[in-house]
Amino acid sequence: MKKIFLLFLLISTTISAQNKLDKLLTKYNKNNVPYISVDSLSTTSSAILLDARETKEYNVSHLKDAICVGFDNFNINNTLKELPKDKNAKIVVYCSLGIRSEIVAHQLIEKGYTNVYNLYGGIFEWKNNNFKVMDTLGKPTEKVHAFNKDWGKWLKKGTKIYE
């Protein structure tokens, strides 16, 4: 009976956290880019990963093989040079939670890319689900740039960095 109660508690906590994240993303996003879950991305081997956070965030940690494209000074033309000519290539854009990345991903869609996704919950959700993040040397790290204290509350696992 105790095991059933613990399982129920775990499931209800997970659903509650997802509902809160859904509300946050609905508040800030236009939903003009489809989401991909961290679980789906973790089993995808051919996606091009674009990190829509600032360089200081990327340098703390990022998803393996991700290309830092930034946000404040994002340049679509420079980014297009990094991408294949095949407009059907699978591209996943992420940021801390999935807000900045939607804006960047939508610009790719406007340039004709047809297989573009926004990572649901961003690098925070990735780390919260125990997936690896890498430092600038390509080594796994527990550190994740948490942007600021307000947004950092969404990062439940790992070591929060604010610098």
Side-chain angles (χ1 to χ4, degrees):
M1 187 65 151
K2 188 175 183 180
K3 288 181 182 179
I4 293 172
F5 175 74
L6 290 174
L7 180 61
F8 174 77
L9 184 62
L10 176 65
I11 291 170
S12 62
T13 302
T14 302
I15 290 170
S16 174
Q18 184 174 357
N19 286 339
K20 289 178 183 177
L21 184 54
D22 283 347
K23 286 180 182 178
L24 177 80
L25 294 175
T26 299
K27 177 180 178 180
Y28 289 100
N29 285 356
K30 294 179 180 175
N31 291 314
N32 53 15
V33 177
Y35 289 110
I36 185 170
S37 72
V38 295
D39 288 330
S40 292
L41 179 58
S42 72
T43 60
T44 301
S45 60
S46 61
I48 298 162
L49 301 175
L50 301 181
D51 190 320
R53 300 175 303 147
E54 298 308 315
T55 303
K56 69 180 182 179
E57 296 170 86
Y58 177 88
N59 287 342
V60 171
S61 65
H62 52 270
L63 276 60
K64 185 178 180 186
D65 298 325
I67 301 166
C68 183
V69 296
F71 180 76
D72 289 341
N73 297 309
F74 174 73
N75 183 304
I76 188 68
N77 293 322
N78 289 344
T79 300
L80 293 174
K81 293 174 188 173
E82 299 284 332
L83 299 177
K85 300 289 183 220
D86 177 8
K87 301 262 178 147
N88 294 315
K90 186 171 192 172
I91 301 169
V92 177
V93 187
Y94 73 91
C95 61
S96 297
L97 284 164
I99 298 168
R100 294 176 284 176
S101 53
E102 183 190 61
I103 295 166
V104 169
H106 188 256
Q107 290 183 49
L108 295 171
I109 291 169
E110 288 179 329
K111 290 293 185 181
Y113 284 86
T114 60
N115 202 7
V116 180
Y117 297 89
N118 184 9
L119 182 61
Y120 180 88
I123 195 171
F124 290 3
E125 189 72 6
W126 183 263
K127 187 63 183 162
N128 289 343
N129 281 272
N130 297 312
F131 295 117
K132 289 182 182 177
V133 294
M134 314 308 273
D135 65 17
T136 56
L137 300 175
K139 306 278 186 203
T141 183
E142 289 300 308
K143 296 177 182 178
V144 177
H145 197 288
F147 194 71
N148 65 35
K149 302 277 185 195
D150 290 331
W151 295 109
K153 69 183 177 187
W154 294 94
L155 180 63
K156 306 296 183 193
K157 297 188 178 175
T159 304
K160 297 176 187 181
I161 304 296
Y162 294 102
E163 303 166 356

